[in-house]
């Protein structure tokens, strides 16, 4: 399977705990994106990387959120001190090159904070 | 005004009919336009993209773009029950350079 992969697919955690998600992009894609989607809404942009450089972060990304892409391959998204409002689907997407080419999404990680 | 707006639906069409999905965007600097299909509980799947004014056809799908009117649409011909899903319109470019800005999606139901 050469598509975008995400792990875990589901995560249930208690409020206040830290969680970390992983995304493995399509191998030749140098741009990697994180989005968050809540029920009934379209995905919302969180942050993106070009290779290992984090180029933009949304104002939605509070100080409790951090993302890394240390070697320009896989990426991790960590949420510290989770809140119930963090419950959502976290989507990773990747694309190749510059310009405005199409992005391909992974299966997502569904987070439930109890 | 939302940056990307879609009719939330639900849109219901009979099997075999043409489904028409519409999207408007507010940023005139937007350059690229995408349609994603999302089944319940799944992630978005790219079905069409269009960069230039006019029509672009791919099988049963036709994307139409009118930059002057800031309008993009998706037509699905010979709709099938398997087309029942949420259709998401997304744009990049302008203030959304490098990232996708999505509408809220239109729920399509194709009934036999």
């Amino acid at each position: 399977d050469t598509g975008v992969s995400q792990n875990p697919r589901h995560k249930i955690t208690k409020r206040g705990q830290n969680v970390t998600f992983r995304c493995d992009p399509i191998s030749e894609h140098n741009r990697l994106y994180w989005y968050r989607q809540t029920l009934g809404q379209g995905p919302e942009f969180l942050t993106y990387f070009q290779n290992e450089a984090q180029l933009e972060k949304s104002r939605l990304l509070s100080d409790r959120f951090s993302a890394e892409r240390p070697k320009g391959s896989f990426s991790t998204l960590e949420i510290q001190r989770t809140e119930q409002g963090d419950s959502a689907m976290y989507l990773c997407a990747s694309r190749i090159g510059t310009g405005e080419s199409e992005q391909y999404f992974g299966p997502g990680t569904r987070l439930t904070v109890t | 005004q939302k940056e990307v707006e879609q009719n939330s639906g639900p849109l219901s069409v009979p099997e075999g009919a043409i489904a028409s999905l519409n999207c408007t965007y507010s940023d005139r600097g937007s350059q690229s336009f995408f349609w994603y299909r999302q089944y319940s509980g799944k992630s978005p799947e790219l079905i069409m993209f269009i960069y230039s004014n006019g029509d672009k056809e791919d099988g049963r799908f036709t994307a139409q773009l009118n930059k002057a009117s800031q309008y993009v649409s998706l037509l699905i011909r010979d709709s099938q029950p398997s087309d029942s899903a949420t259709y998401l319109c997304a744009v990049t470019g302008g203030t959304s350079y490098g990232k996708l800005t999505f509408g809220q999606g239109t729920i399509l139901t194709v009934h036999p």
Side-chain angles (χ1 to χ4, degrees):
Chain A
D1 187 350
T2 57
V4 179
S5 63
Q6 292 186 246
N7 287 288
R9 298 289 303 276
H10 302 274
K11 179 70 176 178
I12 300 173
T13 191
K14 292 184 177 180
R15 187 179 57 180
Q17 297 296 304
N18 299 343
V19 294
T20 300
F21 309 142
R22 175 177 170 132
C23 171
D24 288 87
I26 295 170
S27 59
E28 64 269 25
H29 287 186
N30 61 341
R31 289 209 174 185
L32 185 150
Y33 297 78
W34 286 98
Y35 295 85
R36 179 172 66 188
Q37 186 176 26
T38 54
L39 196 62
Q41 301 299 315
E44 295 177 298
F45 168 78
L46 293 178
T47 188
Y48 85 95
F49 295 83
Q50 178 167 303
N51 300 314
E52 66 274 11
Q54 187 173 19
L55 296 188
E56 186 174 348
K57 294 192 294 185
S58 166
R59 62 184 181 277
L60 294 175
L61 215 63
S62 76
D63 291 345
R64 297 184 297 105
F65 288 72
S66 62
E68 294 182 339
R69 195 182 182 195
K71 297 182 179 179
S73 56
F74 72 91
S75 175
T76 58
L77 178 68
E78 181 182 18
I79 309 174
Q80 296 182 329
R81 305 182 303 282
T82 53
E83 302 173 356
Q84 288 189 322
D86 297 331
S87 296
M89 175 79 89
Y90 289 83
L91 295 162
C92 176
S94 71
R95 71 175 179 91
I96 195 167
T98 57
E100 301 294 344
S101 60
E102 57 273 22
Q103 298 181 23
Y104 296 91
F105 283 84
T109 295
R110 180 163 297 282
L111 172 66
T112 301
V113 182
T114 62
Chain B
Q1 181 185 8
K2 292 183 180 178
E3 293 182 60
V4 179
E5 292 203 55
Q6 299 179 248
N7 291 333
S8 59
L11 174 65
S12 181
V13 300
E15 184 175 357
I18 296 175
S20 178
L21 304 161
N22 304 317
C23 174
T24 58
Y25 58 95
S26 61
D27 185 353
R28 285 197 171 274
S30 299
Q31 296 175 332
S32 304
F33 306 86
F34 305 86
W35 285 98
Y36 286 84
R37 177 176 62 198
Q38 187 172 30
Y39 293 112
S40 180
K42 303 296 185 182
S43 63
E45 172 193 9
L46 179 68
I47 54 173
M48 288 287 291
F49 57 90
I50 186 166
Y51 303 142
S52 303
N53 277 330
D55 295 358
K56 179 180 179 182
E57 186 174 321
D58 184 0
R60 297 187 296 112
F61 299 97
T62 299
Q64 299 175 316
L65 175 60
N66 184 325
K67 289 188 176 181
S69 300
Q70 295 175 244
Y71 175 90
V72 59
S73 65
L74 179 70
L75 301 178
I76 306 174
R77 290 181 299 280
D78 188 23
S79 296
Q80 301 297 309
S82 59
D83 294 326
S84 298
T86 297
Y87 288 80
L88 296 162
C89 172
V91 307
T92 63
T95 58
S96 296
Y97 183 78
K99 59 185 182 287
L100 292 167
T101 298
F102 284 88
Q104 75 272 33
T106 298
I107 299 170
L108 172 66
T109 300
V110 180
H111 53 86

